[in-house]
Amino acid sequence: MSYSACYDETLGFTTRQLHAGYDPAEHNRAKTAPVYQTAVFELGSYERGLRLFEYAEEGHSYVRFSNPTNTVLEKRISSLEGGSAAVSFASGMAGISSTILNLAKAGDEIVSIKTLYGGSTTLFEKLLPDYGIHTRFVEHENDPEEYRALINEKTKAVYVESLGNPGINIVDLEAVAAVAHEYGVPVVVDNTFATPYLFRPFEHGADIVCYSATKFLAGHGTTIAGLVVEKGDFNWRSGRFPQFDKYYADNVEFMGEEVLSRELFTKRLRQTYLTDLGAHMSPTSAFLLMQGIETLSLRMRQHVKNAQDVAEFLEAHPAVKQVNYPGLKNSPYYDLSQKYFPEGPGAILSIRVNGGLEGAKKVVNNVKLFDYMVNVGDAKSLIVHSASTTHYGQSKEMQEAAGVYEDTLRLSIGIEDTEDLINDLRQALES
């Protein structure tokens, strides 16, 4: 048997989304990665058990640490993203919060933007301060000097989204990363809306990538899941992160310099936060997520095509006063879209409709094909009123900074026939 595609990183994206990280010879030659529905694994011997708990040997002992199904998923997303290692979590927010806790402790700071998903903003603005971690927000996400002015000796990360939620703004990642790296600060990017098919942040200066894998990576709306990927070349032992110096000193004897040189962030993330806080992804969720990833590139092509056509229709409709989609030539982010998203800037767009809140209510109450849900990235098209759902409870100032008004609707464009989507929106706007 000569099958070895699972190890070949020179293969194309679509090929790797089917093969990367899974060798059938290691799993009784099953062609599809099995679901290891077990809570625990046999240690084998005292010596092997000790090696596993020292992380000196790759393997599995207890599913809160790792699971073979999840390991295949982690290897696959690392391949697609171009990273060194990944950790799977029970949700996107579990991955984001664990990432920040791995980077910062009480007294530390994060620099971020205001154009974030509401849950992320709530984490930064309301929850993390209770643990002594504070976030300083830039006012203009594409002014590198604003980031420079906020970075200090306490700063442990710059955190951005590749496509903002719901304004679909684009950060000039290369410019921001250049400033952060001047000060030895890592850049964390939530790449949920783009996926690695449309955008690979590591190629533009990011050091850590986070996903709510619930969305486009899965594509079927069945599974809550999160992923965190490490690029593998950031200098975590510069002195800015004493927790990584200690972790290295405590573990280099068992894990070795080579592994820790490329996976220091990931190893500590798994051992300290996934394992001890317990937000592990179930193997069934990992299995379902991999089923979605197998068709990622195919779906994203149709998603993007539909989104562009729908955005152009909405831009011309008299009942719509604003369309936020970087694929439109009048978008302030069009040039950045052309630079960073040559395959298209995703399938999420937001609109502001005439008639204020009542106008927005009319649309969501009259669509027949779009479903009113807070999720995005499903193969099926979805619509939501952001101010009363995803960004509910935020101040008016924070909502508006994220592009959320009482007349704002966020649309997640699916892979249905384009004319059906347009016809549904037309009748809802004109009813």
Side-chain angles (χ1 to χ4, degrees):
M1 183 65 180
S2 59
Y3 174 83
S4 60
C6 54
Y7 303 109
D8 190 349
E9 290 298 307
T10 68
L11 296 171
F13 186 96
T14 299
T15 303
R16 284 183 289 119
Q17 75 185 16
L18 290 160
H19 292 274
Y22 179 66
D23 186 347
E26 297 175 356
H27 302 269
N28 296 307
R29 300 197 180 277
K31 184 53 183 171
T32 300
V35 177
Y36 285 84
Q37 192 61 55
T38 181
V40 67
F41 294 87
E42 184 181 15
L43 299 178
S45 66
Y46 170 86
E47 290 77 14
R48 182 174 182 273
L50 181 60
R51 291 196 301 273
L52 289 174
F53 276 79
E54 289 176 336
Y55 289 86
E57 179 177 324
E58 294 292 333
H60 309 280
S61 58
Y62 192 66
V63 171
R64 184 158 47 81
F65 307 163
S66 64
N67 180 290
T69 311
N70 298 48
T71 298
V72 175
L73 169 64
E74 291 161 356
K75 290 180 178 179
R76 186 155 299 173
I77 192 62
S78 293
S79 173
L80 296 179
E81 198 63 66
S84 63
V87 180
S88 53
F89 286 88
S91 70
M93 287 307 304
I96 293 168
S97 57
S98 295
T99 292
I100 299 303
L101 292 175
N102 200 30
L103 291 168
K105 62 184 185 302
D108 290 337
E109 295 180 354
I110 307 297
V111 172
S112 189
I113 57 179
K114 294 184 176 181
T115 53
L116 299 175
Y117 163 59
S120 299
T121 302
T122 298
L123 173 71
F124 290 139
E125 193 179 34
K126 296 183 179 180
L127 180 59
L128 288 175
D130 288 344
Y131 295 86
I133 301 170
H134 296 273
T135 300
R136 308 180 80 189
F137 292 97
V138 299
E139 294 293 330
H140 304 97
E141 74 270 24
N142 280 319
D143 183 352
E145 295 309 309
E146 286 198 25
Y147 294 84
R148 188 188 304 278
L150 296 182
I151 292 174
N152 57 43
E153 70 280 358
K154 299 178 181 179
T155 307
K156 297 305 168 74
V158 171
Y159 182 96
V160 300
E161 292 177 350
S162 57
L163 291 167
N165 183 352
I168 320 303
N169 56 295
I170 298 173
V171 172
D172 190 349
L173 183 57
E174 291 178 0
V176 171
V179 171
H181 290 162
E182 282 184 39
Y183 298 91
V185 173
V187 177
V188 182
V189 176
D190 182 335
N191 201 37
T192 296
F193 281 8
T195 81
Y197 178 69
L198 296 179
F199 184 61
R200 285 176 291 282
F202 292 151
E203 297 176 5
H204 302 282
D207 303 291
I208 303 294
V209 171
C210 299
Y211 282 102
S212 172
T214 308
K215 313 302 192 296
F216 290 103
L217 287 177
H220 39 56
T222 66
T223 307
I224 299 293
L227 293 165
V228 178
V229 191
E230 177 179 7
K231 183 182 180 184
D233 63 359
F234 187 81
N235 180 16
W236 299 109
R237 300 181 60 220
S238 64
R240 185 176 284 268
F241 300 94
Q243 71 269 39
F244 288 110
D245 290 326
K246 183 178 187 307
Y247 185 85
Y248 182 92
D250 290 345
N251 291 279
V252 65
E253 176 185 353
F254 310 114
M255 297 182 187
E257 292 184 16
E258 182 179 352
V259 169
L260 288 179
S261 68
R262 66 174 185 270
E263 299 179 24
L264 183 56
F265 177 90
T266 300
K267 291 295 187 184
R268 188 174 186 271
L269 181 69
R270 181 184 299 279
Q271 188 172 340
T272 305
Y273 292 100
L274 177 71
T275 299
D276 291 343
L277 295 185
H280 60 285
M281 180 192 293
S282 79
T284 302
S285 294
F287 174 84
L288 290 170
L289 183 50
M290 281 189 283
Q291 303 314 298
I293 289 175
E294 288 190 352
T295 61
L296 177 62
S297 61
L298 286 71
R299 286 185 288 107
M300 293 310 296
R301 292 170 197 157
Q302 185 66 22
H303 277 298
V304 168
K305 177 187 178 300
N306 279 353
Q308 184 70 34
D309 290 345
V310 167
E312 290 175 4
F313 160 75
L314 291 168
E315 185 181 38
H317 198 285
V320 178
K321 64 182 183 181
Q322 182 176 329
V323 180
N324 297 308
Y325 186 68
L328 296 174
K329 291 184 178 180
N330 68 352
S331 167
Y333 302 102
Y334 179 77
D335 289 342
L336 287 174
S337 173
Q338 297 298 296
K339 174 182 177 179
Y340 289 119
F341 294 89
E343 302 297 326
I348 311 297
L349 59 93
S350 64
I351 61 174
R352 297 184 67 185
V353 298
N354 294 332
L357 178 59
E358 292 305 313
K361 287 181 183 178
K362 184 189 77 169
V363 174
V364 299
N365 287 332
N366 283 286
V367 286
K368 303 182 186 307
L369 192 158
F370 283 77
D371 216 339
Y372 189 53
M373 293 183 175
V374 294
N375 196 26
V376 297
D378 199 304
K380 299 173 282 293
S381 292
L382 311 173
I383 190 170
V384 76
H385 181 251
S386 299
S388 61
T389 57
T390 61
H391 291 69
Y392 178 77
Q394 292 186 0
S395 67
K396 183 178 180 182
E397 177 190 12
M398 288 301 292
Q399 285 187 345
E400 292 185 355
V404 174
Y405 302 85
E406 65 174 11
D407 57 5
T408 298
L409 298 173
R410 186 188 69 188
L411 284 69
S412 176
I413 307 300
I415 62 173
E416 299 94 342
D417 292 322
T418 312
E419 58 268 29
D420 292 331
L421 297 174
I422 290 175
N423 287 338
D424 188 42
L425 291 169
R426 179 185 288 113
Q427 66 82 25
L429 288 163
E430 298 174 2
S431 60

